[in-house]
Amino acid sequence: GTVFGELALFGHGPRTADVIAASNGRVMVLDRAGLDALAEEKPHTHAALVLAVGASLAERLRRANAEIRALSR
């Protein structure tokens, strides 16, 4: 699956992107209250989710940095 909207969830800011599906699929929504409840009710699941989102963000940042370097040459 694909994660989107995490900047608004973790950064407490507005959404920065829109998503349009290319085909039918299932969307799962997790708002800040749900994330906080997950931390209370299932801390191991919360930790795994936060680490997975962090890894996704790190990979996106690496790709963006590589694109910026390529454009600045």
PDB file of all heavy atoms in Angstrom, residues 6-12 29-39 46:
ATOM      1  N   GLU A   6       0.771  11.865   5.735  1.00  0.00           N
ATOM      2  CA  GLU A   6       1.492  11.752   7.005  1.00  0.00           C
ATOM      3  C   GLU A   6       2.111  13.062   7.451  1.00  0.00           C
ATOM      4  O   GLU A   6       2.289  13.280   8.644  1.00  0.00           O
ATOM      5  CB  GLU A   6       2.562  10.651   6.935  1.00  0.00           C
ATOM      6  CG  GLU A   6       3.743  10.957   6.052  1.00  0.00           C
ATOM      7  CD  GLU A   6       3.489  10.788   4.569  1.00  0.00           C
ATOM      8  OE1 GLU A   6       2.382  10.405   4.168  1.00  0.00           O
ATOM      9  OE2 GLU A   6       4.415  11.068   3.810  1.00  0.00           O
ATOM     10  N   LEU A   7       2.407  13.959   6.527  1.00  0.00           N
ATOM     11  CA  LEU A   7       2.966  15.252   6.937  1.00  0.00           C
ATOM     12  C   LEU A   7       1.963  16.019   7.795  1.00  0.00           C
ATOM     13  O   LEU A   7       2.332  16.617   8.799  1.00  0.00           O
ATOM     14  CB  LEU A   7       3.364  16.083   5.719  1.00  0.00           C
ATOM     15  CG  LEU A   7       4.531  15.546   4.907  1.00  0.00           C
ATOM     16  CD1 LEU A   7       4.803  16.465   3.715  1.00  0.00           C
ATOM     17  CD2 LEU A   7       5.763  15.392   5.746  1.00  0.00           C
ATOM     18  N   ALA A   8       0.711  15.993   7.414  1.00  0.00           N
ATOM     19  CA  ALA A   8      -0.324  16.678   8.202  1.00  0.00           C
ATOM     20  C   ALA A   8      -0.548  15.964   9.535  1.00  0.00           C
ATOM     21  O   ALA A   8      -0.774  16.601  10.560  1.00  0.00           O
ATOM     22  CB  ALA A   8      -1.633  16.748   7.418  1.00  0.00           C
ATOM     23  N   LEU A   9      -0.444  14.636   9.528  1.00  0.00           N
ATOM     24  CA  LEU A   9      -0.678  13.866  10.753  1.00  0.00           C
ATOM     25  C   LEU A   9       0.429  14.099  11.772  1.00  0.00           C
ATOM     26  O   LEU A   9       0.173  14.355  12.940  1.00  0.00           O
ATOM     27  CB  LEU A   9      -0.767  12.374  10.425  1.00  0.00           C
ATOM     28  CG  LEU A   9      -1.026  11.431  11.592  1.00  0.00           C
ATOM     29  CD1 LEU A   9      -2.372  11.726  12.245  1.00  0.00           C
ATOM     30  CD2 LEU A   9      -0.965   9.992  11.114  1.00  0.00           C
ATOM     31  N   PHE A  10       1.674  14.051  11.330  1.00  0.00           N
ATOM     32  CA  PHE A  10       2.791  14.171  12.254  1.00  0.00           C
ATOM     33  C   PHE A  10       3.272  15.596  12.430  1.00  0.00           C
ATOM     34  O   PHE A  10       3.875  15.931  13.427  1.00  0.00           O
ATOM     35  CB  PHE A  10       3.965  13.282  11.806  1.00  0.00           C
ATOM     36  CG  PHE A  10       3.688  11.824  11.991  1.00  0.00           C
ATOM     37  CD1 PHE A  10       3.365  11.031  10.909  1.00  0.00           C
ATOM     38  CD2 PHE A  10       3.726  11.260  13.244  1.00  0.00           C
ATOM     39  CE1 PHE A  10       3.100   9.684  11.076  1.00  0.00           C
ATOM     40  CE2 PHE A  10       3.460   9.912  13.425  1.00  0.00           C
ATOM     41  CZ  PHE A  10       3.144   9.120  12.341  1.00  0.00           C
ATOM     42  N   GLY A  11       3.010  16.445  11.445  1.00  0.00           N
ATOM     43  CA  GLY A  11       3.489  17.811  11.521  1.00  0.00           C
ATOM     44  C   GLY A  11       2.445  18.811  11.981  1.00  0.00           C
ATOM     45  O   GLY A  11       2.737  19.985  12.118  1.00  0.00           O
ATOM     46  N   HIS A  12       1.236  18.344  12.201  1.00  0.00           N
ATOM     47  CA  HIS A  12       0.142  19.204  12.671  1.00  0.00           C
ATOM     48  C   HIS A  12      -0.137  20.355  11.708  1.00  0.00           C
ATOM     49  O   HIS A  12      -0.599  21.406  12.117  1.00  0.00           O
ATOM     50  CB  HIS A  12       0.425  19.758  14.074  1.00  0.00           C
ATOM     51  CG  HIS A  12       0.718  18.702  15.082  1.00  0.00           C
ATOM     52  ND1 HIS A  12      -0.252  17.882  15.594  1.00  0.00           N
ATOM     53  CD2 HIS A  12       1.875  18.320  15.652  1.00  0.00           C
ATOM     54  CE1 HIS A  12       0.300  17.046  16.445  1.00  0.00           C
ATOM     55  NE2 HIS A  12       1.590  17.287  16.498  1.00  0.00           N
ATOM     56  N   VAL A  29      -8.257   5.421   6.948  1.00  0.00           N
ATOM     57  CA  VAL A  29      -7.996   6.755   7.476  1.00  0.00           C
ATOM     58  C   VAL A  29      -7.570   6.643   8.933  1.00  0.00           C
ATOM     59  O   VAL A  29      -8.185   5.919   9.721  1.00  0.00           O
ATOM     60  CB  VAL A  29      -9.270   7.638   7.373  1.00  0.00           C
ATOM     61  CG1 VAL A  29      -9.026   8.997   7.991  1.00  0.00           C
ATOM     62  CG2 VAL A  29      -9.707   7.768   5.923  1.00  0.00           C
ATOM     63  N   LEU A  30      -6.502   7.358   9.256  1.00  0.00           N
ATOM     64  CA  LEU A  30      -6.046   7.435  10.639  1.00  0.00           C
ATOM     65  C   LEU A  30      -5.802   8.904  10.956  1.00  0.00           C
ATOM     66  O   LEU A  30      -4.881   9.500  10.415  1.00  0.00           O
ATOM     67  CB  LEU A  30      -4.753   6.623  10.835  1.00  0.00           C
ATOM     68  CG  LEU A  30      -4.159   6.642  12.235  1.00  0.00           C
ATOM     69  CD1 LEU A  30      -5.113   5.975  13.226  1.00  0.00           C
ATOM     70  CD2 LEU A  30      -2.813   5.937  12.237  1.00  0.00           C
ATOM     71  N   ASP A  31      -6.651   9.475  11.788  1.00  0.00           N
ATOM     72  CA  ASP A  31      -6.467  10.872  12.170  1.00  0.00           C
ATOM     73  C   ASP A  31      -5.634  10.935  13.451  1.00  0.00           C
ATOM     74  O   ASP A  31      -5.225   9.918  14.008  1.00  0.00           O
ATOM     75  CB  ASP A  31      -7.801  11.591  12.331  1.00  0.00           C
ATOM     76  CG  ASP A  31      -8.707  10.974  13.389  1.00  0.00           C
ATOM     77  OD1 ASP A  31      -8.237  10.131  14.183  1.00  0.00           O
ATOM     78  OD2 ASP A  31      -9.882  11.343  13.421  1.00  0.00           O
ATOM     79  N   ARG A  32      -5.357  12.145  13.893  1.00  0.00           N
ATOM     80  CA  ARG A  32      -4.503  12.320  15.074  1.00  0.00           C
ATOM     81  C   ARG A  32      -5.096  11.643  16.309  1.00  0.00           C
ATOM     82  O   ARG A  32      -4.382  11.008  17.088  1.00  0.00           O
ATOM     83  CB  ARG A  32      -4.296  13.825  15.333  1.00  0.00           C
ATOM     84  CG  ARG A  32      -3.330  14.124  16.444  1.00  0.00           C
ATOM     85  CD  ARG A  32      -1.959  13.575  16.111  1.00  0.00           C
ATOM     86  NE  ARG A  32      -1.112  13.549  17.271  1.00  0.00           N
ATOM     87  CZ  ARG A  32       0.180  13.692  17.235  1.00  0.00           C
ATOM     88  NH1 ARG A  32       0.792  13.865  16.095  1.00  0.00           N
ATOM     89  NH2 ARG A  32       0.885  13.643  18.332  1.00  0.00           N
ATOM     90  N   ALA A  33      -6.405  11.752  16.488  1.00  0.00           N
ATOM     91  CA  ALA A  33      -7.051  11.109  17.646  1.00  0.00           C
ATOM     92  C   ALA A  33      -6.890   9.594  17.573  1.00  0.00           C
ATOM     93  O   ALA A  33      -6.636   8.937  18.587  1.00  0.00           O
ATOM     94  CB  ALA A  33      -8.530  11.492  17.710  1.00  0.00           C
ATOM     95  N   GLY A  34      -7.015   9.037  16.386  1.00  0.00           N
ATOM     96  CA  GLY A  34      -6.832   7.599  16.202  1.00  0.00           C
ATOM     97  C   GLY A  34      -5.406   7.172  16.470  1.00  0.00           C
ATOM     98  O   GLY A  34      -5.157   6.108  17.056  1.00  0.00           O
ATOM     99  N   LEU A  35      -4.444   7.996  16.037  1.00  0.00           N
ATOM    100  CA  LEU A  35      -3.034   7.704  16.290  1.00  0.00           C
ATOM    101  C   LEU A  35      -2.747   7.726  17.789  1.00  0.00           C
ATOM    102  O   LEU A  35      -2.057   6.845  18.310  1.00  0.00           O
ATOM    103  CB  LEU A  35      -2.150   8.715  15.560  1.00  0.00           C
ATOM    104  CG  LEU A  35      -0.652   8.472  15.660  1.00  0.00           C
ATOM    105  CD1 LEU A  35      -0.250   7.176  14.957  1.00  0.00           C
ATOM    106  CD2 LEU A  35       0.102   9.650  15.077  1.00  0.00           C
ATOM    107  N   ASP A  36      -3.294   8.714  18.471  1.00  0.00           N
ATOM    108  CA  ASP A  36      -3.115   8.801  19.920  1.00  0.00           C
ATOM    109  C   ASP A  36      -3.760   7.609  20.632  1.00  0.00           C
ATOM    110  O   ASP A  36      -3.189   7.054  21.570  1.00  0.00           O
ATOM    111  CB  ASP A  36      -3.694  10.115  20.457  1.00  0.00           C
ATOM    112  CG  ASP A  36      -2.903  11.330  20.009  1.00  0.00           C
ATOM    113  OD1 ASP A  36      -1.738  11.166  19.554  1.00  0.00           O
ATOM    114  OD2 ASP A  36      -3.447  12.453  20.090  1.00  0.00           O
ATOM    115  N   ALA A  37      -4.946   7.207  20.170  1.00  0.00           N
ATOM    116  CA  ALA A  37      -5.621   6.048  20.770  1.00  0.00           C
ATOM    117  C   ALA A  37      -4.816   4.778  20.522  1.00  0.00           C
ATOM    118  O   ALA A  37      -4.700   3.924  21.410  1.00  0.00           O
ATOM    119  CB  ALA A  37      -7.035   5.904  20.204  1.00  0.00           C
ATOM    120  N   LEU A  38      -4.242   4.649  19.331  1.00  0.00           N
ATOM    121  CA  LEU A  38      -3.416   3.484  19.018  1.00  0.00           C
ATOM    122  C   LEU A  38      -2.215   3.415  19.951  1.00  0.00           C
ATOM    123  O   LEU A  38      -1.843   2.338  20.428  1.00  0.00           O
ATOM    124  CB  LEU A  38      -2.963   3.536  17.557  1.00  0.00           C
ATOM    125  CG  LEU A  38      -2.204   2.331  17.033  1.00  0.00           C
ATOM    126  CD1 LEU A  38      -3.073   1.076  17.076  1.00  0.00           C
ATOM    127  CD2 LEU A  38      -1.711   2.602  15.620  1.00  0.00           C
ATOM    128  N   ALA A  39      -1.617   4.557  20.244  1.00  0.00           N
ATOM    129  CA  ALA A  39      -0.468   4.603  21.155  1.00  0.00           C
ATOM    130  C   ALA A  39      -0.858   4.101  22.545  1.00  0.00           C
ATOM    131  O   ALA A  39      -0.073   3.409  23.203  1.00  0.00           O
ATOM    132  CB  ALA A  39       0.081   6.024  21.241  1.00  0.00           C
ATOM    133  N   HIS A  46       1.604   0.883  17.394  1.00  0.00           N
ATOM    134  CA  HIS A  46       1.868   2.310  17.190  1.00  0.00           C
ATOM    135  C   HIS A  46       3.330   2.532  16.833  1.00  0.00           C
ATOM    136  O   HIS A  46       3.658   3.240  15.884  1.00  0.00           O
ATOM    137  CB  HIS A  46       1.486   3.095  18.446  1.00  0.00           C
ATOM    138  CG  HIS A  46       1.819   4.543  18.385  1.00  0.00           C
ATOM    139  ND1 HIS A  46       3.020   5.033  18.864  1.00  0.00           N
ATOM    140  CD2 HIS A  46       1.140   5.596  17.883  1.00  0.00           C
ATOM    141  CE1 HIS A  46       3.053   6.341  18.667  1.00  0.00           C
ATOM    142  NE2 HIS A  46       1.928   6.708  18.079  1.00  0.00           N
TER     143      HIS A  46
END
